[in-house]
Amino acid sequence: MNLTTKQKQHLKGLAHSLKPVVLLGANGLTEGVLAEIDNALAHHELIKVKVASEDRELKNAIIDAIIRETQSEKVQVIGHVLVLYRQSEEKKIALPKAK
């Protein structure tokens, strides 16, 4: 599922007030962290993940791995905070129609 610009803008607005639900620590991206992100996406659809890495290339590699492993969509990245979206069965968030 590819998000349109209008859909991303809508999700950014919804994500603004959210706090990060998953924080990546010194151990980096582990199976447990991936499972937690997967559970949070299944429950909330739209989440923030804090990726605490000073190395920009490593941070981008971690973000790409999270997106690939969870089959989610990257809405935006601001600093160390990644906003992810994955539609669940219940479709809790109504997206604007794609043209």
Side-chain angles (χ1 to χ4, degrees):
M1 171 187 192
N2 285 331
L3 296 171
T4 65
T5 305
K6 190 171 191 167
Q7 290 170 331
K8 283 187 178 182
Q9 289 297 94
H10 178 72
L11 290 171
K12 286 177 188 177
L14 294 175
H16 182 72
S17 62
L18 298 177
K19 299 274 185 256
V21 291
V22 179
L23 306 172
L24 265 72
N27 294 336
L29 190 61
T30 62
E31 290 294 318
V33 171
L34 274 174
E36 197 60 39
I37 293 171
D38 202 47
N39 288 341
L41 279 167
H43 190 262
H44 299 290
E45 288 188 347
L46 184 68
I47 64 166
K48 284 184 178 178
V49 178
K50 186 161 186 174
V51 182
S53 173
E54 295 303 316
D55 183 4
R56 182 172 287 177
E57 288 182 23
L58 177 62
K59 182 176 78 172
N60 289 336
I62 289 171
I63 289 170
D64 291 340
I66 290 171
I67 292 166
R68 185 179 61 248
E69 294 296 321
T70 61
Q71 284 100 40
S72 58
E73 294 286 329
K74 176 174 78 172
V75 177
Q76 74 180 28
V77 178
I78 297 179
H80 296 287
V81 179
L82 165 67
V83 179
L84 290 174
Y85 172 76
R86 186 178 71 198
Q87 199 169 46
S88 69
E89 299 293 318
E90 296 91 50
K91 297 184 180 178
K92 298 172 187 166
I93 298 174
L95 289 176
K97 293 276 184 248
K99 293 189 174 161

